[in-house]
Amino acid sequence: DVGAAISIGLGGVLFLLGLLGLLTSCSRSYSWSYCFSIILLVIVILQCLAGVLVIFFRNEIEKVVNKSLRQSMRSYHLPDPGDSPYQVTVRNTWDGIQNILGCCGVMAFTDWSDTEFGTPGLVPESCCKEVVAGCGSDIDFGVDNPDLHQTGCVVAVQGEMAENIEMVVAVIAGLLAVQVLGVCLSCCLARSVQVEHCDL
């Protein structure tokens, strides 16, 4: 699954970066500190470039996101004792998002008809406007169902981001500022260690 692979990859990179920072500060080597500063700076630049690319290639990225979400829907099924951690995470994530945002499926509730779970006419109960036992069964995907959330989750997320654009921008700016501060502090550490070596 593309989404799982990306999450694991980002987690691995962050772990290695944190480990490198720890080793750098413990080694008291100014050359390693400068290297760590350069790595952080490169990461900040790459994130800025990624932001620009997202703006220019928004439609293509949206298609990839939609495809990944549809793939994750295929792993959704009712709770079972033999479920893998991934399947449990997929189920909890979909149920949580659909409950919180009041949405169903990627673009609409009919997306569930393309999954093994939805083939017999089922949708998750988190799709129901009023969650009661059995509310997601016997669904006719060919007609509108007023008891289900009509908005897809991609549209719902886009709407939430548009409504809270100031907060989104503030969070992004804050994260960028913290990373730039990390570059500056790493350079300061490298400089202080270099001065100590020169004094010796």
Side-chain angles (χ1 to χ4, degrees):
D1 186 82
V2 177
I6 292 174
S7 299
I8 293 172
L10 287 175
V13 169
L14 290 175
F15 172 78
L16 291 175
L17 190 62
L19 183 62
L20 179 60
L22 177 64
L23 294 175
T24 298
S25 60
C26 292
S27 67
R28 303 295 292 172
S29 168
Y30 65 86
S31 58
W32 274 105
S33 296
Y34 280 127
C35 287
F36 184 66
S37 302
I38 293 171
I39 291 172
L40 285 180
L41 182 61
V42 168
I43 290 174
V44 170
I45 293 172
L46 289 176
Q47 287 175 341
C48 293
L49 289 175
V52 173
L53 290 175
V54 165
I55 294 172
F56 283 106
F57 298 99
R58 177 184 170 187
N59 292 334
E60 287 75 9
I61 292 172
E62 190 171 321
K63 290 176 183 176
V64 172
V65 170
N66 288 350
K67 184 178 179 181
S68 299
L69 290 173
R70 291 179 193 278
Q71 286 179 343
S72 70
M73 288 174 69
R74 297 191 183 102
S75 299
Y76 187 101
H77 58 77
L78 294 173
D80 185 272
D83 285 346
S84 67
Y86 172 72
Q87 291 170 322
V88 173
T89 301
V90 166
R91 182 171 58 251
N92 291 340
T93 301
W94 270 108
D95 286 339
I97 290 173
Q98 292 181 151
N99 272 321
I100 293 170
L101 297 180
C103 58
C104 186
V106 178
M107 302 305 293
F109 74 93
T110 52
D111 293 332
W112 288 103
S113 65
D114 297 327
T115 66
E116 183 179 350
F117 173 80
T119 301
L122 297 175
V123 297
E125 292 183 354
S126 54
C127 280
C128 302
K129 292 180 179 178
E130 292 186 13
V131 179
V132 294
C135 66
S137 58
D138 298 325
I139 302 299
D140 185 355
F141 291 106
V143 297
D144 289 338
N145 194 320
D147 295 328
L148 301 178
H149 297 299
Q150 302 298 307
T151 307
C153 290
V154 169
V155 178
V157 169
Q158 290 173 340
E160 286 290 322
M161 291 183 68
E163 289 179 9
N164 301 287
I165 189 66
E166 295 88 357
M167 185 180 296
V168 172
V169 171
V171 169
I172 293 173
L175 290 173
L176 191 61
V178 168
Q179 293 178 41
V180 172
L181 180 63
V183 173
C184 295
L185 291 176
S186 183
C187 287
C188 290
L189 174 63
R191 181 61 182 166
S192 65
V193 172
Q194 188 176 15
V195 169
E196 285 179 13
H197 281 207
C198 290
D199 291 341
L200 293 175

